[in-house]
Amino acid sequence: MTEPIVAVVGAGPAGMRAAEVLVRAGVRPILFDEAEQPGGQIYRQPPEGAARRARQIYGFETRKAQAIHGVLREMGNNVDYRPGTLVWNVLQDRLDLLGPRGYGAQQFDGLILATGAMERILPFPGWTLPGVFTLGGAQIALKSQGVSIGRRIAFVGGGPLLPLVAHQYAKAGAEVAAVLDVTSFSAKITHLPGLLAQPATLAKGLWYAASNRARNFAGSFSVRAIRAVGRAQVEALVYEDKSAKRHRIACDAIGASFGLRSETQLADLAGCRFVFDPLERQWLPERTPEGRSSVPHVYLAGDGAGIGGADVAELQGRRAALSVLEDLGQRTNTGEARRLGHKLVKQAHFRRALENAYPFPHHLVDEIHDEEIICRCEGITAGALREASRQKEAPELNRLKALTRIGMGRCQGRVCGHAAAELLARARHADIKSVGRLRGQPPVKPIPVLGVVP
Ligand SMILES: Cc1cc2nc3c(=O)[nH]c(=O)nc-3n(C[C@H](O)[C@H](O)[C@H](O)COP(=O)(O)OP(=O)(O)OC[C@H]3O[C@@H](n4cnc5c(N)ncnc54)[C@H](O)[C@@H]3O)c2cc1C
């Protein structure tokens, strides 16, 4: 009998733990990641020979990061690890690939998608000025290259990354000019009981906030009317506090983002059914607590099917791998499956509270001026989207795409899609759910034509 081929996409916490469980059961998975080294977003590794030590890069998460990195070493030759390989399409039971040796394809019997998340962008005046980065982009510069995005940096947005990245920058010696949260302080207090479900994680969050306060950064909650100003480059961040008082923070770089969104395109191309999550305000591939999708032999783990954080991603990766083994007819440890299920339920309470404490600030969509660029790839403005949505009868996002080209550029809507959905819903006074989502299209990321690999 031939061995079943199990492919795992993503070598972050979810994919690594999934691969580990498969290896332990005697299955040799193929593990794809477009990154050169394992770790995913949170445990991203610097290149060989980098000057910063693990403790400086990962802080409290050092041991977890080292454990995830160590999984690959422990699996040795029992995993077929393919770094630097983009999975750019799923067609039934085949993956289309672009790796170090060029284009290729891989058949599979089981597929675990552990594709993670990226940040949610909400355009604001000046967001395309040189010097404006996402919070994650700022973090990647620091984690992988040990460089700062500027000399004096203002951080703005929402989500737990905001205090964390500010803290990481300050610790690395950068000058942090301000940490400005668009969500309210009262939301955090209201959802404190739910956050107590994970006391250690809550304590870390409080510690980052306290250390930022102790460093006396300008800080505020419920900020709005954000604007990056400068001629050829960021010179200041302007905002209003909750009393509508205007402030100007001189800086030469801004880190800004508004939470995370799941990377769902491969699940879409695999034919998975999607459901709307009102809390995350996004359409997500349906997944059972055991990690099964609506498509047999396709499994989902980690942030790629709903934001859960790194600890949840590890648990989900393990659980999805057990489901693969169960469906392949292998005996699995039912006690382990039960334990993982219990832990995931406990984590779910915490995640819901965290999402409520940092709700996506959709009210800021009304502050986006008509002349503001929403799609950087195609130069499409908010005004063009609003006009098309009202004058040309676009009740749904794919119709808006056909009319305006939003989501047709290099990013395939990964950057602009959610903002466009919010704008469309607002312009039509409709519910965000009713405007739908951009359909996934291959290639999920830009690839060179004619097989010419640089
Ligand atoms: C920019 C950013 C920074 C973050 N920083 C922190 C932090 O500091 N602290 C924290 O607690 N949480 C952070 N998070 C959240 C945290 O990273 C996630 O909760 C956690 O990493 C989820 O693990 P995962 O395995 O689901 O996904 P990830 O860790 O994101 O791993 C997904 C992997 O899949 C790969 N991949 C995706 N699509 C493809 C494809 N088509 N082909 C090949 N490979 C693919 C990616 O390269 C990546 O390595 C961050 C998230 C983002 C987006």
Side-chain angles (χ1 to χ4, degrees):
M1 214 178 88
T2 55
E3 292 293 321
I5 300 172
V6 182
V8 180
V9 184
M16 293 301 285
R17 290 301 183 197
E20 182 185 39
V21 169
L22 293 167
V23 166
R24 226 173 46 203
V27 173
R28 185 169 187 261
I30 311 175
L31 176 59
F32 298 103
D33 200 304
E34 61 179 321
E36 295 297 338
Q37 299 188 80
Q41 292 291 1
I42 177 170
Y43 306 134
R44 177 182 295 277
Q45 299 190 58
E48 294 281 319
R52 296 179 83 220
R53 289 195 308 275
R55 183 83 211 163
Q56 291 171 298
I57 299 173
Y58 306 113
F60 289 134
E61 315 302 337
T62 304
R63 282 174 65 175
K64 287 184 189 169
Q66 287 171 334
I68 289 292
H69 301 157
V71 169
L72 191 66
R73 252 190 330 272
E74 284 153 26
M75 291 190 295
N77 201 30
N78 296 321
V79 63
D80 179 355
Y81 173 50
R82 312 255 189 104
T85 305
L86 173 73
V87 178
W88 58 268
N89 189 21
V90 187
L91 193 62
Q92 292 169 348
D93 57 357
R94 190 193 80 202
L95 302 176
D96 287 317
L97 313 167
L98 177 61
R101 289 195 298 274
Y103 287 99
Q106 178 65 55
Q107 298 292 131
F108 62 83
D109 299 301
L111 171 66
I112 300 181
L113 293 174
T115 46
M118 68 177 273
E119 284 166 285
R120 284 183 87 155
I121 311 298
L122 198 53
F124 52 88
W127 77 290
T128 53
L129 265 179
V132 181
F133 293 73
T134 63
L135 288 170
Q139 197 190 43
I140 289 169
L142 194 60
K143 269 188 187 169
S144 68
Q145 301 296 332
V147 297
S148 164
I149 58 170
R151 290 183 204 289
R152 184 175 154 80
I153 307 130
F155 293 104
V156 63
L161 267 188
L162 178 68
L164 171 62
V165 177
H167 165 79
Q168 288 171 330
Y169 262 71
K171 212 166 146 230
E175 185 185 355
V176 176
V179 186
L180 304 166
D181 194 329
V182 295
T183 63
S184 72
F185 184 64
S186 62
K188 283 140 200 78
I189 298 298
T190 308
H191 296 285
L192 197 58
L195 295 172
L196 282 165
Q198 294 295 327
T201 312
L202 175 62
K204 275 185 267 178
L206 292 174
W207 195 85
Y208 297 136
S211 105
N212 290 342
R213 273 189 85 82
R215 288 187 161 109
N216 274 328
F217 304 152
S220 199
F221 290 94
S222 302
V223 307
R224 52 192 313 154
I226 310 156
R227 173 184 283 269
V229 292
R231 280 167 299 247
Q233 149 82 30
V234 169
E235 290 166 21
L237 176 74
V238 175
Y239 70 96
E240 282 179 15
D241 64 21
K242 64 172 184 263
S243 325
K245 190 166 167 224
R246 223 163 163 64
H247 300 262
R248 183 188 165 96
I249 304 278
C251 57
D252 64 354
I254 294 173
S257 65
F258 302 87
L260 300 178
R261 54 160 285 272
S262 298
E263 278 283 21
T264 58
Q265 290 136 305
L266 291 183
D268 203 357
L269 295 172
C272 296
R273 193 164 52 232
F274 276 54
V275 285
F276 186 75
D277 183 324
L279 199 53
E280 291 193 21
R281 292 176 77 81
Q282 54 184 312
W283 288 85
L284 297 171
E286 202 175 277
R287 100 172 125 188
T288 67
E290 296 79 28
R292 293 183 176 87
S293 76
S294 61
V295 177
H297 315 308
V298 176
Y299 304 80
L300 304 163
D303 275 5
I307 306 304
D311 294 349
V312 172
E314 288 193 43
L315 298 171
Q316 288 175 338
R318 288 192 170 111
R319 187 61 191 89
L322 289 179
S323 294
V324 173
L325 296 169
E326 285 159 17
D327 295 351
L328 288 173
Q330 288 211 15
R331 276 167 69 104
T332 56
N333 182 338
T334 48
E336 185 183 0
R338 212 176 24 251
R339 275 192 299 281
L340 289 170
H342 286 152
K343 285 186 186 165
L344 281 167
V345 169
K346 216 171 147 200
Q347 289 272 6
H349 292 304
F350 174 79
R351 286 313 303 186
R352 289 278 135 190
L354 196 62
E355 292 292 336
N356 278 309
Y358 286 103
F360 179 70
H362 55 93
H363 58 281
L364 296 182
V365 170
D366 292 338
E367 295 179 358
I368 303 178
H369 302 155
D370 274 351
E371 63 275 16
E372 210 53 61
I373 298 265
I374 302 298
C375 162
R376 290 182 304 186
C377 310
E378 300 269 329
I380 304 162
T381 62
L385 295 180
R386 287 183 176 124
E387 193 200 295
S389 69
R390 293 193 197 111
Q391 321 277 323
K392 297 185 187 160
E393 268 310 303
E396 184 270 338
L397 207 49
N398 292 290
R399 174 96 185 113
L400 190 68
K401 174 177 175 177
L403 292 169
T404 63
R405 295 188 57 79
I406 189 88
M408 280 194 200
R410 283 174 65 86
C411 87
Q412 291 283 286
R414 292 162 69 245
V415 175
C416 61
H418 282 270
E422 296 284 356
L423 265 166
L424 177 58
R426 278 315 246 220
R428 294 186 64 88
H429 306 290
D431 185 63
I432 180 74
K433 181 179 175 186
S434 72
V435 305
R437 64 191 171 84
L438 288 173
R439 280 186 289 272
Q441 301 283 353
V444 297
K445 287 188 184 170
I447 52 176
V449 288
L450 303 173
V452 181
V453 184

